[in-house]
Amino acid sequence: MKSLDVLMPVEGMGLIGDLIGARLPVHRLWLEPNPDLWLAEWGPRIRAIAVAGHIRADEAYMRRFPSLEIISSFGVGYDHIDAKAAARLGIIVTNTPGVLDDEVADTALGLMLMAVRQLPQAERYLRAGLWPKGAYPLTPSLRGRTVGIVGLGRIGKAIATRVSGFGLDIVYHGRHAQTDVPYRYYPSLVEMAKASDILIIVAPGGPSTRHIVNAEVLEALGPEGVLINIARGSLVDEKALIGALRTGKILAAGLDVYENEPNVPAELIALPNAVLLPHVGSASVKTRQAMAECVAENILAWADGKPPLTPVPETPWQGRWGKDG
């Protein structure tokens, strides 16, 4: 194993630092009294970064570390890292796909059930002592609905498997049709929204997908439509969504992600037809531990001179990428 100085820029799961620190020197930037002064001295020595919390790693950020070889990121989404710039600089970027698919898919189905059947509202009704005064009003049903999945990747397929178990029809939208799935493909998101009763958003974040769910898509979804977002808040025009929920242009929404986390608009919180979770899609002890292990294992494999386990498509493993030391 070659020696790599590993930077953890922000505090995250302590397990990540523990696993890497058992074999490599780990520097926890948030503990430094003067981070800028520390980076000026240590930046040139850093060869690996473990991203266990939110940082914006653009090209300027990466250039602060001229010896950087690998960024190992916690989570399947990596829109906070400019992976194309990393490729130009010869830096590998890894994420944690696979280990969180089932957990996030479970959360999506939970949000769908809660939003359609008004389960959080019914619980609040009981807790407020209103049941003795009369039964909770009848709710909409899942029966007979078509579910449109935006982004049929690993998590999207896991959601589709679960939705099929509910006896619902499935259609999907993405960059291209997939020949190995039995679901109808819509090249137009607006047309799929017209054909769907429930939209589940699972596509990656980033500039290319920003606000792809806009007022036009919500209008197409219609007054009986339900929006579920477990991907990134940036995919949905939050102002348009608030307007659609407030005016009845759509029936309900179930959200785990927001445009400006952890700040959720007060207008959204006030809406009775919005089910809101604090970005907990993968937040179980078992899944987060597996994600932490994946972050560490990517860096440890790299230090051993082995290929990274889960490089992102923009920085594929092609032989001995990077700088040997």
Side-chain angles (χ1 to χ4, degrees):
M1 173 177 282
K2 63 181 179 180
S3 177
L4 265 70
D5 280 284
V6 182
L7 175 66
M8 293 186 67
V10 292
E11 187 173 8
M13 282 194 70
L15 178 62
I16 296 173
D18 293 343
L19 291 171
I20 298 171
R23 298 174 63 188
L24 295 170
V26 175
H27 306 278
R28 296 168 173 84
L29 186 61
W30 70 92
L31 297 179
E32 295 297 328
N34 191 328
D36 289 334
L37 187 63
W38 187 93
L39 283 172
E41 178 182 354
W42 280 89
R45 309 184 205 182
I46 296 299
R47 299 173 66 181
I49 294 177
V51 181
H54 185 75
I55 63 164
R56 180 60 58 181
D58 57 12
E59 183 167 351
Y61 179 87
M62 288 182 267
R63 286 190 178 279
R64 299 182 73 178
F65 309 97
S67 300
L68 184 61
E69 301 174 17
I70 184 170
I71 299 174
S72 185
S73 183
F74 183 86
V76 68
Y78 54 95
D79 47 300
H80 55 294
I81 300 171
D82 189 338
K84 291 182 179 179
R88 291 194 300 270
L89 296 171
I91 299 167
I92 283 283
V93 176
T94 66
N95 62 344
T96 62
V99 296
L100 50 70
D101 298 353
D102 287 329
E103 208 74 73
V104 176
D106 291 346
T107 305
L109 268 290
L111 276 171
M112 182 178 75
L113 282 167
M114 288 191 290
V116 174
R117 292 299 318 282
Q118 300 178 8
L119 300 182
Q121 297 93 319
E123 186 196 28
R124 290 195 293 269
Y125 186 87
L126 181 149
R127 290 181 181 275
L130 298 175
W131 192 9
K133 301 176 183 179
Y136 185 79
L138 299 180
T139 73
S141 174
L142 277 177
R143 298 306 96 212
R145 288 181 177 263
T146 295
V147 176
I149 299 176
V150 183
L152 198 68
R154 292 185 184 91
I155 297 173
K157 288 183 172 71
I159 290 170
T161 298
R162 287 158 172 75
V163 169
S164 295
F166 278 81
L168 306 179
D169 291 333
I170 298 166
V171 295
Y172 73 101
H173 166 77
R175 288 188 294 268
H176 51 78
Q178 301 183 36
T179 58
D180 59 343
V181 298
Y183 318 119
R184 179 175 177 179
Y185 171 70
Y186 280 86
S188 164
L189 178 53
V190 171
E191 291 305 311
M192 188 180 80
K194 289 179 182 177
S196 301
D197 304 288
I198 300 170
L199 277 188
I200 301 182
I201 314 300
V202 209
S208 65
T209 57
R210 177 173 171 77
H211 287 186
I212 60 169
V213 177
N214 53 24
E216 183 183 10
V217 172
L218 295 170
E219 186 84 30
L221 186 56
E224 296 300 315
V226 176
L227 178 74
I228 306 297
N229 189 9
I230 54 151
R232 285 288 187 267
S234 61
L235 277 75
V236 177
D237 183 337
E238 217 161 66
K239 290 183 179 179
L241 175 61
I242 290 169
L245 288 167
R246 183 180 287 153
T247 59
K249 288 185 177 179
I250 68 171
L251 178 68
L255 309 174
D256 188 41
V257 290
Y258 310 89
E259 285 203 69
N260 185 29
E261 296 179 6
N263 303 303
V264 180
E267 302 95 322
L268 190 55
I269 293 173
L271 290 169
N273 52 346
V275 177
L276 310 176
L277 300 179
H279 203 151
V280 295
S282 65
S284 73
V285 172
K286 181 177 182 178
T287 295
R288 287 291 172 88
Q289 179 172 328
M291 292 166 65
E293 290 169 353
C294 187
V295 170
E297 287 166 2
N298 272 296
I299 288 178
L300 295 175
W302 188 259
D304 284 336
K306 299 176 182 176
L309 279 66
T310 54
V312 303
E314 294 89 343
T315 61
W317 170 251
Q318 297 174 339
R320 191 72 184 115
W321 181 301
K323 317 166 186 70
D324 287 321

